[in-house]
Amino acid sequence: MITKVRNHISQNEPLLFERSSPGKKAYQLPELDVPGVDAGEALGAENVRPEIEGFPEVSEVEAIRHYTRLSTWNYAIDYGMYPLGSCTMKYNPRINELVARIEGLAWAHPYQPEALAQGSMEVMARLEAALAEITGMDALTLQPAAGAHGELTGILLIRALLEKRGNPRKKILIPDSAHGTNPASAAIAGYAVENVKSTETGLLDVSALERIVDEDVAALMVTNPNTLGVFEENIIPVAEILHAKGALLYMDGANMNALVGIARPGDFGVDVLHLNLHKTFSTPHGGGGPGAGPVAVKKVLEPFLPIPRLKRSGKKLTFDYKRKDSIGRVRAFYGNFGVLVRALAYILAHGGPGLRNATVDAVLNAVYIRKQLEPYFDLPYGSPNMHEVVFSDERQAKNGVRTGDIAKRLIDYGFHPYTVSFPLIVHGALMIEPTETEGKRELDQFIEAMISIAKEAESDPQLVKTAPHNARTSRVDEVGAARKPVVRWKP
Ligand SMILES: *Cc1c(COP(=O)(O)O)cnc(C)c1O
C-alpha cells in the first residue's frame, strides 16, 4: 500500500554532472555551408581548451527538465505568501517588467551621449521628483545599489557636512531594535556606535536620549516604523533634541511601506533617509539583488550628494559633475537603472491615492494577523503595530518548541517562513509582514496554518521540533552550511 510518496521525479533530481553521458548534446545545428576551420589554427592553440573536465553532456530534454525540476524546489512570491518580516516581499506587478524591457530603456548604454539619453534621464528625474514628494525631502541620489549601501552613503553625507562645519564628531547612536546593517554602515563610515535602549513599549527613550546626545554625536539612526512595526511617536521631539546639539537624524526608510501617502519623514524632522525601492516600490528581490537604495536629503546635505547630479536646463537634462563638496561616486554610472524604471512604473501606475491605499492595506493586513494570532502567540510589545507584527515563542518554548521550529513547520504547510529571531530585542521573535498584496483568503490560510502549529506545539511538540517533514531536505546544519559551504562539484 502506498501511504505517502514524495514526488519521485522532481524530488530526486540529481546534479546535471551526474546525469551526464558522453556524446550527448542539447543542441542541433544545421550542416555547415561554409568551409570549416580548425579552432586552434584560427584562434591560436593557447586560446582553445581541448576539453572541459567533467563538463556535463546531456540531451536537450534532460537539460530543460533538470532546470524545470530544480525550479520546483524553490519558493517564489508568484507561488505564495512570503511573510518575511522587515523584507517587504510584496507581489511585483508584471507591468513593471514589461516597462523595464522597453527597448530604448533596456538597451540604453551608460556611455550614450547625453543628447541621446534624454528619455532615460527623464525617467531618473521623474523618479527623483516622485520620491522627493513621497518622502517630503528636498533632493535625492539614485546611485546606491541597496538599502545598506544607501545607509553608508547617508552617513558619509552626514560626515561630509559635519567636517565642513569643522568637526565630523565621533559617534552614531542606534536603538537596540535596529536592523543589523545600521551599526555596520556607521562603523564603515568611521564612527563608533552607541546603543540606545528602547522603553518597555518598544519605543525610543526620549529622556535617555536627552542625556546622551552631546557634541560627540554625529547622528541618530532610527528606523520608523521601527523593526517591531511600531511608529516612533516621539520622533519630532527626538529630532529637536538632536538638532539642538548640532546632530542629525538619519532614518532607515526600509519600512516606508507603512508610511507612503500617510506621513512624510521630511515633515517629522528627518534630515536624511534611504529607501529600498526593491521593497516598498516593487522590484523582485531576494537572492542578492539587484536593488536600489536611493538617499533623500534636506537642503543642508544637498551639496554633498554623489556626482553626477541631474540638472534640468530648459527642456534639456544634463549631468553635473562639477560639485566641489560632493562625496564623489558611490557606484559606477547611475545606479541600477532597471530597478529605477520598475519603481517609477509602479508609482505612476498607482498614483497618489493608489500608493496610499497600498499603505493602508499593508497595515490592515498586519493588524488582522495580529488580532487573529494574539490568542495563540505571545505579543511582547503591545503597541498598535503597523505593517508588520512581532510575536515571541514564549508560550511554545514551555514545550521546548522555539521560533525556528515553528518556522520549519510552516514549510510543511506550504508557506515560506517568517523572519526568525529578529529583531534581537524580542527573545525568540516571530516577525511577520504580510504586505498589501495578500488577499483575505491567503491571509486566512496563513493564520490557519499558524494556529494549527500552535496547537501541535501543545499536543505533539516533537512533530514541530523535527519539522519539516514534507520538504526535500529536513534539518540541515545551517552554521556548517554558512561557514563551510561546498560549492564545487567533485567527481
Ligand atoms: C532590508 C533592510 C535593510 C537593508 O536593505 P538591503 O537592501 O538588504 O541592503 C536595512 N534596514 C531595514 C530596516 C531593512 O528592512
Side-chain angles (χ1 to χ4, degrees):
M1 193 183 74
I2 296 171
T3 46
K4 188 153 194 172
V5 203
R6 267 201 194 138
N7 185 324
H8 186 67
I9 58 164
S10 74
Q11 298 301 307
N12 292 327
E13 181 65 15
L15 296 176
L16 200 57
F17 301 96
E18 293 162 359
R19 276 188 159 276
S20 181
S21 29
K24 279 198 178 178
K25 279 191 302 219
Y27 60 88
Q28 287 180 44
L29 295 175
E31 261 181 54
L32 268 189
D33 58 358
V34 291
V37 288
D38 180 75
E41 259 170 45
L43 301 169
E46 72 279 13
N47 294 319
V48 179
R49 190 156 47 169
E51 202 193 324
I52 304 173
E53 205 192 333
F55 193 76
E57 294 175 83
V58 294
S59 69
E60 178 176 327
V61 64
E62 283 173 328
I64 296 288
R65 285 197 177 146
H66 176 72
Y67 289 108
T68 304
R69 287 171 187 173
L70 291 195
S71 77
T72 66
W73 298 2
N74 261 338
Y75 197 85
I77 192 66
D78 289 347
Y79 175 82
M81 182 173 166
Y82 220 114
L84 271 182
S86 205
C87 295
T88 312
M89 302 297 283
K90 61 175 76 175
Y91 169 77
N92 310 290
R94 285 296 186 280
I95 186 75
N96 301 347
E97 297 304 311
L98 197 70
V99 175
R101 281 165 177 71
I102 292 173
E103 210 176 328
L105 297 173
W107 287 87
H109 194 281
Y111 283 134
Q112 216 160 297
E114 284 176 13
L116 300 178
Q118 291 292 303
S120 303
M121 291 163 78
E122 189 66 39
V123 167
M124 292 193 280
R126 289 197 191 181
L127 181 61
E128 282 188 6
L131 296 176
E133 186 179 335
I134 287 168
T135 54
M137 304 296 279
D138 298 319
L140 265 113
T141 174
L142 301 172
Q143 261 183 45
H149 194 197
E151 292 168 27
L152 176 63
T153 305
I155 300 299
L156 290 175
L157 294 172
I158 290 173
R159 178 179 268 282
L161 169 70
L162 294 176
E163 247 161 26
K164 181 105 184 166
R165 286 181 182 166
N167 176 8
R169 304 191 171 194
K170 299 199 177 79
K171 354 181 236 201
I172 302 272
L173 305 178
I174 301 183
D176 49 9
S177 61
H179 197 266
T181 49
N182 290 190
S185 302
I188 289 178
Y191 284 108
V193 172
E194 190 171 317
N195 235 286
V196 190
K197 283 226 172 324
S198 304
T199 62
E200 264 166 33
T201 50
L203 292 173
L204 273 171
D205 188 336
V206 182
S207 51
L209 200 68
E210 207 154 19
R211 283 193 301 276
I212 53 177
V213 178
D214 58 21
E215 316 285 318
D216 279 340
V217 171
L220 169 74
M221 279 181 101
V222 59
T223 307
N224 199 17
N226 63 24
T227 52
L228 294 165
V230 179
F231 189 82
E232 294 288 354
E233 53 189 27
N234 292 319
I235 193 74
I236 291 174
V238 163
E240 286 166 357
I241 291 169
L242 291 158
H243 292 156
K245 291 276 163 73
L248 287 99
L249 178 56
Y250 183 97
M251 183 176 125
D252 178 331
N255 289 345
M256 274 300 284
N257 216 47
L259 298 187
V260 174
I262 305 281
R264 308 196 312 165
D267 298 337
F268 54 70
V270 170
D271 299 299
V272 43
L273 83 151
H274 80 263
L275 298 166
N276 284 49
L277 296 190
H278 45 293
K279 291 178 182 170
T280 316
F281 298 100
S282 175
T283 274
H285 68 291
V295 172
V297 297
K298 286 281 175 62
K299 273 218 160 54
V300 280
L301 288 161
E302 187 178 7
F304 308 96
L305 285 172
I307 47 165
R309 301 278 308 135
L310 270 173
K311 210 163 101 180
R312 206 183 278 281
S313 352
K315 276 198 180 144
K316 240 180 73 196
L317 283 161
T318 54
F319 283 120
D320 181 8
Y321 289 86
K322 291 197 210 76
R323 296 173 58 90
K324 65 178 172 38
D325 287 329
S326 167
I327 60 168
R329 281 187 179 282
V330 295
R331 175 107 172 73
F333 302 116
Y334 315 106
N336 285 334
F337 181 68
V339 179
L340 309 181
V341 176
R342 287 173 177 86
L344 184 63
Y346 175 80
I347 289 169
L348 293 179
H350 277 68
L355 290 175
R356 186 189 164 91
N357 267 349
T359 303
V360 171
D361 286 347
V363 175
L364 178 66
N365 282 355
V367 171
Y368 181 63
I369 287 180
R370 168 167 65 91
K371 280 291 181 194
Q372 299 295 316
L373 293 186
E374 244 185 293
Y376 302 92
F377 294 91
D378 177 60
L379 187 75
Y381 293 94
S383 307
N385 63 292
M386 298 190 69
H387 67 305
E388 59 197 357
V389 57
V390 183
F391 294 101
S392 93
D393 63 11
E394 198 182 295
R395 283 186 218 172
Q396 291 71 33
K398 292 195 181 94
N399 295 317
V401 173
R402 307 307 315 263
T403 177
D405 303 320
I406 300 167
K408 296 278 189 210
R409 184 64 177 147
L410 207 45
I411 296 172
D412 286 338
Y413 284 82
F415 286 96
H416 192 283
Y418 49 78
T419 294
V420 172
S421 303
F422 178 80
L424 301 178
I425 77 169
V426 172
H427 190 69
L430 294 72
M431 187 194 211
I432 300 168
E433 179 181 9
T435 84
E436 71 281 6
T437 55
E438 301 308 324
K440 182 163 181 298
R441 197 190 126 82
E442 205 82 12
L443 294 177
D444 284 337
Q445 276 185 320
F446 173 75
I447 289 161
E448 263 169 44
M450 289 295 289
I451 293 174
S452 177
I453 297 170
K455 289 180 177 162
E456 288 169 355
E458 297 283 330
S459 61
D460 190 357
Q462 203 52 29
L463 177 75
V464 184
K465 284 170 68 172
T466 49
H469 303 286
N470 302 331
R472 253 197 100 248
T473 42
S474 190
R475 300 272 169 139
V476 293
D477 176 358
E478 289 173 3
V479 177
R483 296 261 164 87
K484 295 180 213 143
V486 180
V487 292
R488 184 177 284 275
W489 175 77
K490 285 209 192 76

